Amino acid sequence: MPARTSLSGFPEWLPAERIVEQHILDQLRETFELHGFASVETRAIETLDELQRKGETSKEVYILERLQDRLQDRNDSKKERPLGLHFDLTVPFARFVLDNAGELQFPFRRYQIQKVWRGERPQDGRFREFTQADIDIVGNGTLAFHHEVEIPLVILEAFSKLPIPPVTVLVNNRKIVQGFCEGIGIDNVEQALRSIDKLDKIGPKGVSAELLEHGFEQDQIDRLLSLASISGDDEAVLDEVRSLGVANELLEEGLTELGALLAAGSKRAPHRLRAELKITRGLDYYTGTVYETALEGHEDLGSICSGGRYDSLASDGKRTFPGVGISIGVSRLVSRILAANLAVASRSVPTAVLVAVVNEEMRADSEDIAYKLRSRGIPTEVSPSSQKFGKQIRYADRRGIPFVWFIGEDGVNEVKDIRSGEQQIADVDSWMPPAEDLKPTVRPGE
Amino acid sequence: MPARTSLSGFPEWLPAERIVEQHILDQLRETFELHGFASVETRAIETLDELQRKGETSKEVYILERLQDRLQDRNDSKKERPLGLHFDLTVPFARFVLDNAGELQFPFRRYQIQKVWRGERPQDGRFREFTQADIDIVGNGTLAFHHEVEIPLVILEAFSKLPIPPVTVLVNNRKIVQGFCEGIGIDNVEQALRSIDKLDKIGPKGVSAELLEHGFEQDQIDRLLSLASISGDDEAVLDEVRSLGVANELLEEGLTELGALLAAGSKRAPHRLRAELKITRGLDYYTGTVYETALEGHEDLGSICSGGRYDSLASDGKRTFPGVGISIGVSRLVSRILAANLAVASRSVPTAVLVAVVNEEMRADSEDIAYKLRSRGIPTEVSPSSQKFGKQIRYADRRGIPFVWFIGEDGVNEVKDIRSGEQQIADVDSWMPPAEDLKPTVRPGE
């Protein structure tokens, strides 16, 4: 579906597809603003230092050079600091928080919807330019746990308003895994995470063999695998973990947090928030709850929305800013919606009414009608040509414009619904299209 | 005002400033859609070939390289085609039209609001990343003149809805200048344009001297200068040109077009559309009407919105797509609005109501209230802390949140307007804030 473009990995949409994307972006914005998140946009370009601050080298950064500098083959000393395109919205947001800490009110709630770029190899078939929609809540020094409950509920509310199958947020908590490991005497938590991460691929036996090689004891491994097998959307999850008989303070803290999260989930979004204790992605840098998501029937897409809690989203040495947030891969989602025909736009243009033109001398009369309809909020075009009405109606039909307006010789206007063919007398100062026809709508595909 | 950022030329806005920018972008979108323009977004990245297709080298292109390729010092043969960031929205749109000609309906009306990048030297103080908002109408083979009348009227309507001083669209027409030159025997129209372009800088005498050097005759120069001195917003302009006694068919065609444009302007936007026959910018590549704009009291900004008619916006050798369009420099406009305090946001967050929290055990009660208010479209936050109410009120006050909601011990809720201090009993299922407080508004600055 992201076809027709002469460069792979850079999706572009036709007008009717773009209306679907806009609908999704509008809905996300509306939900985020309902929850008091303020919009931030950061520049697309950061210094390479900033982009690599966290030691990121896997993110396939695009670096920039002025063509003039390249052509003149300037040496590096004359150039400014190397610049690159941002590959996510978290790194730039952390920099923005540090740049503007004195002007922001904490805890600071922001959403950010922008393009990001990753210089993937074209043959990988991945997007190299795509839109992300992020929400984060950032504290100055401290950030209460209840924000870790809030974030997935906002996201579930946002998804519930989109024309897509149900989304489930899958959660785990670093404290549970860390505390559990400590409680059974595992020091090398990172290796435990790396091996558990392969569970779906190599199975429990493969994981077990790998951990044995790394010097884990069989009992430790069995208990780890028992932990990783636990999932569910209610308090039974906590009992299952506790039945493994590991006593550790951090583990208890993590279980208390998970319990609060699952309780809030079952209240606001029953069965849409599940603990999956095998989730390891991000547990190396997140410090509390981590989130992934699954789109029902489209699990092959992978997680379209991920995030978690960082105890140090940003730090300038003196101050530390903890944060919790989540990021939606909008382009990946929209691409699937279009490819699987999950949703379609009712038309390819915003126009609700095309005003027909009798002949070029009378074009101004049609302009007057259009002017009046627009002044009442009705998206209106005037026919670009004064060909036969049949051709003007075809102009509307090809774009999905539902109504064509005709100026009668006697000054009586009529409006035709070109879908039903029904035509009726209409007053330019009071006629309104049905509410569902005023703007393009996005409805489930067939 | 575009301060606080650690990289010059890349403006970023604080939340309250971003609300002003969003307001402007929302208003532009609304006006464009009212006139039936469909949204298009093109990728930010084009091949360097495409960016240089029109021989553009002045636009300071940023070229891209994968960091991995740089680090591994791959030679060029292993790399893909050179890529760069788009420097305007016209070149990518022309490419999009050619890529998708078979899928688009012509004449095709589109708006496009995106960032563009120009690798200006940092010391020039120019923006290197900025947002443009373009509208264009493109035909397949032909495009009627009336669209040249339509475009500036749409733009004037859009500007009239923004919190800015009045905007005037200044127009000229390539046909007038070309026909006039032909009529008085000037072959080197390009030189005539180049010299007239300096009129404001070097005056009529300077222009005269320069044209003499280029072999123009004094009589030709005098008549050119007379033409360039003509301006006005009604038909008198046409009479003034005709009184110069030059007979030429193309000139007459241009004057007829200009007359139609001024007549429509005086009807829909009196005194906001003026002919300025000294305008030369763009006349080398536009083929009909050209547009510039002036913001009253901010003429030093230069033209914040320019465009014109191209007989060949795009061509693939077989087909030619004429177009007419205009481009608003949104970042430059927003930057001035903020710096000159022309408009301010009523608050820095979307939130209308903060629900106070009595104590952490009762946080869920506050969440319930917030849930109900949001379900009726009221942007609501729950207080992040359960400190003393005074502190919770200060949390709201610092962000400009107008209302704080209190849950009474007896189940009776009260809501306080923290600006007036007025507090009243409120029902969570029916209370609404005044319409002007529901969302942040943007009003003229003081």
Side-chain angles (χ1 to χ4, degrees), chain A residues 140-202:
Chain A
N140 185 353
T142 60
L143 183 72
F145 164 73
H146 60 75
H147 295 297
E148 293 174 51
V149 177
E150 183 179 8
I151 289 283
L153 296 181
V154 175
I155 282 297
L156 282 167
E157 184 179 319
F159 280 128
S160 74
K161 295 176 182 171
L162 300 185
I164 56 174
V167 165
T168 306
V169 174
L170 309 171
V171 301
N172 196 359
N173 192 309
R174 167 82 195 195
K175 292 174 184 173
I176 292 176
V177 178
Q178 175 86 28
F180 191 89
C181 285
E182 287 175 9
I184 60 175
I186 293 177
D187 295 326
N188 191 352
V189 179
E190 273 56 44
Q191 184 57 50
L193 291 173
R194 268 195 298 276
S195 297
I196 294 289
D197 191 39
K198 299 179 187 163
L199 197 51
D200 288 341
K201 211 188 289 176
I202 63 178

Side-chain angles (χ1 to χ4, degrees), chain A residues 117-133:
Chain A
W117 294 266
R118 294 186 187 176
E120 312 275 359
R121 307 212 132 272
Q123 56 269 34
D124 290 347
R126 295 198 191 148
F127 287 159
R128 296 190 278 172
E129 170 172 315
F130 52 99
T131 299
Q132 286 195 340

Side-chain angles (χ1 to χ4, degrees), chain B residues 94-370:
Chain B
R95 192 263 313 148
F96 180 88
V97 167
L98 290 179
D99 277 357
N100 299 285
E103 304 282 339
L104 301 175
Q105 302 295 335
F106 295 95
F108 178 52
R109 308 158 69 82
R110 84 88 175 76
Y111 73 92
Q112 188 167 351
I113 300 177
Q114 283 183 254
K115 298 272 176 67
V116 305
W117 294 267
R118 295 186 186 176
E120 312 275 358
R121 307 211 133 272
Q123 57 270 33
D124 290 347
R126 298 199 190 147
F127 288 160
R128 295 192 278 173
E129 170 173 314
F130 52 98
T131 299
Q132 287 195 339
D134 284 26
I135 51 172
D136 284 273
I137 304 171
V138 180
N140 184 352
T142 60
L143 184 72
F145 164 73
H146 59 76
H147 295 297
E148 293 174 52
V149 177
E150 185 179 7
I151 288 283
L153 297 181
V154 175
I155 283 296
L156 283 167
E157 184 178 320
F159 279 129
S160 74
K161 295 176 183 172
L162 301 184
I164 55 174
V167 166
T168 306
V169 174
L170 310 171
V171 301
N172 197 359
N173 192 309
R174 166 82 196 194
K175 292 175 184 173
I176 293 176
V177 178
Q178 175 86 27
F180 192 89
C181 285
E182 287 176 8
I184 60 176
I186 294 175
D187 295 327
N188 191 350
V189 179
E190 273 57 44
Q191 184 55 50
L193 291 171
R194 269 195 297 278
S195 298
I196 294 290
D197 191 39
K198 299 179 187 164
L199 197 52
D200 287 343
K201 212 188 290 175
I202 63 177
K205 281 187 186 161
V207 171
S208 186
E210 185 172 296
L211 286 172
L212 276 173
E213 267 178 46
H214 280 92
F216 286 61
E217 289 165 24
Q218 190 62 53
D219 176 62
Q220 291 173 327
I221 296 170
D222 291 345
R223 290 164 91 169
L224 257 187
L225 287 169
S226 299
L227 181 74
S229 72
I230 295 171
S231 73
D233 62 7
D234 59 23
E235 294 226 329
V237 169
L238 312 185
D239 298 337
E240 283 188 63
V241 177
R242 290 191 178 113
S243 75
L244 298 177
V246 178
N248 176 279
E249 204 174 322
L250 189 64
L251 170 61
E252 266 313 310
E253 192 182 321
L255 288 174
T256 304
E257 291 183 355
L258 182 62
L261 183 52
L262 293 175
S266 61
K267 180 172 180 182
R268 294 272 180 245
H271 311 303
R272 301 265 66 91
L273 201 149
R274 287 176 59 82
E276 289 268 9
L277 300 195
K278 72 179 176 189
I279 292 177
T280 57
R281 210 173 44 158
L283 281 193
D284 46 343
Y285 47 91
Y286 292 121
T287 51
T289 311
V290 296
Y291 317 106
E292 294 198 353
T293 51
L295 181 64
E296 195 175 291
H298 300 270
E299 288 76 7
D300 61 303
L301 257 187
S303 178
I304 50 166
C305 177
S306 309
R309 155 97 188 203
Y310 303 85
D311 278 344
S312 176
L313 173 75
S315 175
D316 59 7
K318 280 180 299 184
R319 292 164 305 181
T320 296
F321 299 89
V324 57
I326 203 162
S327 174
I328 304 174
V330 174
S331 296
R332 193 142 50 120
L333 181 61
V334 170
S335 176
R336 174 59 59 96
I337 288 172
L338 297 173
N341 201 33
L342 298 178
V344 294
S346 58
R347 54 190 193 245
S348 68
V349 292
T351 318
V353 180
L354 179 77
V355 182
V357 175
V358 177
N359 56 51
E360 286 304 322
E361 289 66 45
M362 294 175 65
R363 174 169 294 280
D365 298 338
S366 299
E367 296 286 2
D368 288 344
I369 297 287

Side-chain angles (χ1 to χ4, degrees), chain A residues 4-7 10 12-15 18 22 26 29 33-45 47-48 52 57 60-70 74 80-81 83 85 95-96 99-100 103-109 111 114-115 117 119-122 128-129 144 146-147 267-268 348-351 360 363-364 367-368 371 374 377-381 384 395 398-399, chain B residues 4-7 10 12-15 18 22 26 29 33-45 47-48 52 57 60-70 74 80-81 83 85 95-96 99-100 103-109 111 114-115 117 119-122 128-129 144 146-147 267-268 348-351 360 363-364 367-368 371 374 377-381 384 395 398-399:
Chain A
R4 289 171 310 274
T5 177
S6 37
L7 211 56
F10 294 89
E12 290 185 327
W13 313 121
L14 287 169
R18 169 67 178 155
Q22 275 186 307
D26 289 345
R29 173 179 170 184
E33 293 186 350
L34 263 181
H35 287 261
F37 290 84
S39 173
V40 163
E41 273 202 4
T42 60
R43 49 181 150 86
I45 290 173
T47 63
L48 190 55
Q52 298 189 302
T57 52
E60 298 284 5
V61 172
Y62 275 120
I63 50 177
L64 297 169
E65 187 177 16
R66 295 176 63 235
L67 179 59
Q68 305 295 335
D69 290 340
R70 163 82 59 101
R74 288 172 199 268
E80 56 178 329
R81 293 181 286 175
L83 303 174
L85 291 173
R95 192 262 313 148
F96 180 87
D99 277 357
N100 299 286
E103 305 280 341
L104 301 175
Q105 303 294 333
F106 295 94
F108 178 53
R109 309 157 68 83
Y111 72 92
Q114 283 183 255
K115 297 273 176 67
W117 294 266
E120 312 275 359
R121 307 212 132 272
R128 296 190 278 172
E129 170 172 315
H146 60 75
H147 295 297
K267 181 170 178 184
R268 294 273 180 244
S348 69
V349 292
T351 317
E360 286 305 320
R363 174 169 293 279
E367 295 287 3
D368 287 344
Y371 180 81
R374 284 185 206 115
I378 305 169
T380 306
E381 278 179 59
Y395 174 95
R398 275 196 290 261
R399 290 157 176 80
Chain B
R4 289 170 313 275
T5 176
S6 38
L7 211 55
F10 294 88
E12 290 184 329
W13 312 121
L14 287 169
R18 168 68 178 153
Q22 277 187 306
D26 289 346
R29 172 180 170 184
E33 292 187 349
L34 263 181
H35 287 262
F37 289 84
S39 174
V40 162
E41 273 202 4
T42 59
R43 48 181 150 86
I45 291 174
T47 63
L48 191 55
Q52 298 189 302
T57 52
E60 297 285 4
V61 172
Y62 274 122
I63 51 177
L64 297 168
E65 188 177 15
R66 295 176 65 235
L67 180 59
Q68 305 295 337
D69 290 340
R70 163 82 59 102
R74 286 172 201 266
E80 54 178 331
R81 292 181 286 174
L83 302 174
L85 291 173
R95 192 263 313 148
F96 180 88
D99 277 357
N100 299 285
E103 304 282 339
L104 301 175
Q105 302 295 335
F106 295 95
F108 178 52
R109 308 158 69 82
Y111 73 92
Q114 283 183 254
K115 298 272 176 67
W117 294 267
E120 312 275 358
R121 307 211 133 272
R128 295 192 278 173
E129 170 173 314
H146 59 76
H147 295 297
K267 180 172 180 182
R268 294 272 180 245
S348 68
V349 292
T351 318
E360 286 304 322
R363 174 169 294 280
E367 296 286 2
D368 288 344
Y371 180 81
R374 283 186 206 115
I378 304 169
T380 305
E381 278 179 59
Y395 174 94
R398 275 197 290 263
R399 290 158 177 80

